Amino acid sequence: MKTLLAWLFGTVTARITGAQPEDFLNLCARENLVLWRMVQRDLFTLEVQVTARQYARLCQLAQGAQCGVELEKRQGLPYFFLRFRRRYALLAGVALCLVLFAIGSRTVLTIDVTGNETVTREEIISQLRLCGVSVGTYGPGIPIREVENRMMMAMDALSYFSLNLHGTRAEVIVREGDPAPEIRAETVPTDVVSSATGVITHIEPWVGDAQFQEGEAVCEGDVLISGRMEMDTVTPTEHDLGTMLVHAEGKVLAQTWHTLTAQISLKAQVKTYTGEEICHYSLSLMGKRVKFYQNSGIPYENYDTISEQRAWTPIQGKQLPVVWEKETHRAYETREITLDPAQAEEMLRQALMEALEEQMEEGKVLQADYEVTRQGDLLQVKLVAQCTEQIGRMVEMDTQEKAVGPRHPEKGTTGADEKTKEAERAEE
């Protein structure tokens, strides 16, 4: 510790010469002058070390004891900087480095996002940039609470957002809200309509009246489960209870047939690289790109661009906004080749099956037959598939009425009177 303090404050080593060096030591003790080190060279010479601030006092005491003072060595931080007192450019550079260090140590260099699952990190950082926070933003100037409120208003998928600054690192903690449950408009009258032509294998009306039975054939657009229900009476003598419109629902499985066709040319163009290439280099510093090339034109007619980026990561997992970019432009020529018919056919088969499975929301393929034809360089594959699938789709009725309960006749009227009143209200 004593050595460190001596280096920080600076020390001076001096040679004291006189007939009575003891008088000098007595004066130092009387004036409380601390000598860091003292060595007696001979009977008339002492070598002492004091701090730089006490050197002037040392000279006064030496003169009072009628001793001579000879400066031997000066060392420490103050004398180190004293060497550069006339090197103005160096001093300006040191001052600039200190200023940049003071500002850079409080500038956002990295942004860490935690807690997100479905919302991507890029979406959060992009929205955060619109709120005024990005790499290169001065940390103390960020209104944290305002940014948090704006982020919550801009991103409906988030239920919690927190922004914390730790020096040059901005920590973003988010929580995603649970998706809102699907609201079923059960007050809107609907029918369950067939989405394909087939033979019904199972029909299960949850709400509404089934219009078909198992084993019957239906066409696309047929109403399978009607949302217009006739209210049944308990006894034949009761009045007509009318019709009730409901939000029809149910499950309808049917055996269906699908036909899909795909074709491909057996002549294809492929790339062949010529070996010629051009490389462009650039440096991205806090989002600002500095190019190290002048002409950005590419002299090739056909070329591919391969981009490579290398970020500066002095600490494992901590990436600073300093990215070295390399773009390589490789020239190529195209040539025509003939595809293998067997491989092309297998590719079309897989594509047709994937398209069929995507077309069916709920179902499975029972049997699939393929028909392959070739006309010159054109290969065509036709898929005929037998499937079982859910064909019921809810469709809103073309009516302005709402789904209501059974209508009861007014007291003292008959069913015929009630129907007459309904007709009169309809005419009005």
Side-chain angles (χ1 to χ4, degrees), residues 303-367:
Y303 62 90
D304 285 337
T305 301
I306 299 95
S307 298
E308 300 178 19
Q309 295 183 345
R310 294 183 180 180
W312 183 28
T313 54
I315 303 176
Q316 184 68 25
K318 301 297 181 181
Q319 177 178 326
L320 294 180
V322 180
V323 181
W324 179 257
E325 300 180 3
K326 175 185 177 182
E327 286 188 353
T328 304
H329 307 281
R330 295 180 180 176
Y332 67 85
E333 297 176 349
T334 58
R335 61 185 180 89
E336 189 178 81
I337 63 170
T338 302
L339 300 179
D340 184 9
Q343 294 181 354
E345 178 183 342
E346 182 63 25
M347 182 177 63
L348 291 179
R349 285 172 178 256
Q350 294 180 2
L352 288 173
M353 184 58 66
E354 292 176 359
L356 176 61
E357 293 176 350
E358 184 178 353
Q359 183 177 339
M360 295 187 302
E361 294 184 6
E362 300 179 28
K364 62 179 180 179
V365 179
L366 301 179
Q367 182 179 351

Side-chain angles (χ1 to χ4, degrees), residues 265-282:
S265 176
L266 296 179
K267 297 294 184 179
Q269 300 291 327
V270 297
K271 299 178 183 179
T272 302
Y273 291 101
T274 62
E276 298 178 285
E277 63 179 34
I278 293 179
C279 296
H280 289 162
Y281 300 93
S282 61

Side-chain angles (χ1 to χ4, degrees), residues 275-295:
E276 298 178 285
E277 63 179 34
I278 293 179
C279 296
H280 289 162
Y281 300 93
S282 61
L283 180 66
S284 178
L285 180 62
M286 291 189 178
K288 304 297 182 180
R289 189 178 183 189
V290 180
K291 298 180 180 180
F292 294 96
Y293 55 91
Q294 295 181 351
N295 184 14

